[in-house]
Every structure is written in C-alpha cells, then in structure tokens.
Amino acid sequence: MKTLISREEIQKRIESLGKELTEYYKDKDLTVVCLLNGAMIFASDIMRAIELPLQYDTFAASSYVNTSSTGELKIRSNLKLPIENRHVLLIDDILDTGFTMKCIIEEFTRKGALSVKSCVLLNKKIKDKLFSAPDWVGFEIEDEFVVGYGLDYNEEYRNLPFIGVLDQE
Ligand code: IMP
Ligand code: MG
C-alpha cells in the first residue's frame, strides 16, 4: 500500500476548506448532507471545521442510466429532514465520472432546496466527466484506484486514516 495523501495533509486541507465553507455559508440556513457510506469520515471532519449552526442529514443512493439515457437514482436511504428553503451542501468522498453527484443535485433541487452545492475530498482527473464542477475539492488526483479515509475496495480499507493506492495484485 502506497500512501498518496497522509493523515496530516488531509487534516490541514480540511481546516482550510472549513474556513472557506464557514465564510460562504455564514448568513445561510445550512444543511450538510453526507453521502453514505464513503463520505462518513470526511463529513464528520468537515462538519466540525464549519463554525456555524447547521443541520446534518445522510443520504444513500446509487445512480444508473435509464432507457432514455438520463440519470436515475436508486435511493437506499432517504433524507430525514426537509430541505425546502435550505442551502444544501453535499459531502462525498470522491468524484469519478460525477454521474451520481449530478443525479443527486437534480433530485435535491426538485425537492425545493434554495441551493445545492458539493464538496468532495477527492476529484479524479478522467476524460469522460459527466459532472465536472464540484464547488469545493480537497485534492485533485490522477485516475488511479484509491482507498482509505472512507473509500473502499470491496467494502474493505474504509478505516485507513490516510488515502492509499492499492498495489496491483
Ligand atoms: P461516479 O458517479 O462515477 O462519480 O462514482 C463515484 C463513486 O464511485 C464514489 O462515490 C465511490 O464510491 C466510487 N469510486 C470511484 N473511484 C473510486 C476509487 O478510486 N476508490 C474507491 N471508490 C471509488
Ligand atoms: Mg460513494
């Protein structure tokens, strides 16, 4: 296992993201939404770095392309709080194609949120981005498979306190 981003680098970046988010949301009713399962660790850190009153909720879904090739969400666990008239900040571990994020933003906008923005720990540089504009990014990374800090390979490695690249077996 090769360390790509150390625990210390992650913590430092989260502090500065927290400052930016605190400034941006200071006069807004904020709901932070953690996209399960991968964002759980990042969300708990980033939430504590935002020095504002806020509401917290979780959402779990996967996306697929339906027959008319628009995005559709398969929701595993829905929000518990209403988001009408609230500013929603979606927290995810990694943006790969961005397809899931795009579908979730559309869904939450339909539900009546005043704004829906996204903050991801990692943004992968790939050619076929479907949604390429996360509002806040922790780190830009190359197109390689990473684990740790919430990210899994076959549901393992989520508990690593750093971001690592798996050795090719
Ligand atoms: P997207 O819809 O293609 O952006 O899918 C993003 C999702 O794929 C993430 O939330 C992760 O669950 C998973 N994923 C993408 N790349 C990686 C990776 O390098 N390691 C672990 N999971 C990944
Ligand atoms: Mg995920």
Side-chain angles (χ1 to χ4, degrees):
M1 175 81 62
K2 185 178 113 227
T3 302
L4 185 66
I5 308 168
S6 72
R7 189 177 198 157
E8 293 71 27
E9 288 173 293
I10 297 171
Q11 290 317 315
K12 230 175 111 191
R13 184 70 186 114
I14 285 173
E15 257 176 59
S16 70
L17 280 174
K19 290 203 175 82
E20 286 180 38
L21 292 165
T22 302
E23 179 58 26
Y24 183 81
Y25 284 106
K26 68 182 174 206
D27 299 316
K28 301 183 176 78
D29 291 321
L30 172 62
T31 301
V32 170
V33 175
C34 168
L35 302 178
L36 296 173
N37 291 331
M40 184 255 278
I41 296 174
F42 178 48
S44 71
D45 279 351
I46 200 80
M47 193 168 57
R48 286 175 293 175
I50 303 174
E51 296 175 14
L52 295 172
L54 58 82
Q55 294 186 356
Y56 169 75
D57 207 348
T58 60
F59 187 80
S62 41
S63 54
Y64 60 96
V65 179
N66 67 20
T67 44
S68 58
S69 82
T70 54
E72 207 148 304
L73 274 182
K74 188 166 176 234
I75 299 172
R76 278 185 287 126
S77 168
N78 214 328
L79 295 175
K80 288 105 211 153
L81 302 174
I83 54 167
E84 290 85 28
N85 300 315
R86 298 200 55 94
H87 293 274
V88 173
L89 177 63
L90 298 167
I91 310 292
D92 209 355
D93 50 0
I94 187 165
L95 199 81
D96 188 6
T97 65
F99 187 62
T100 316
M101 185 61 90
K102 181 174 171 286
C103 296
I104 294 174
I105 290 174
E106 285 165 5
E107 168 82 8
F108 285 15
T109 303
R110 270 198 301 275
K111 279 181 193 259
L114 289 178
S115 69
V116 186
K117 294 196 176 276
S118 56
C119 174
V120 296
L121 178 62
L122 306 172
N123 189 27
K124 240 188 219 191
K125 284 179 207 154
I126 62 163
K127 280 193 210 80
D128 302 314
K129 277 274 194 233
L130 294 166
F131 170 79
S132 52
D135 299 283
W136 291 274
V137 174
F139 302 90
E140 302 284 345
I141 64 165
E142 296 304 320
D143 187 5
E144 51 190 354
F145 198 84
V146 292
V147 295
Y149 213 79
L151 291 136
D152 73 301
Y153 172 67
N154 285 344
E155 295 304 329
E156 290 183 19
Y157 305 103
R158 290 195 198 274
N159 58 327
L160 288 180
F162 57 89
I163 301 289
V165 181
L166 279 182
D167 294 328
Q168 312 278 78
E169 278 107 336

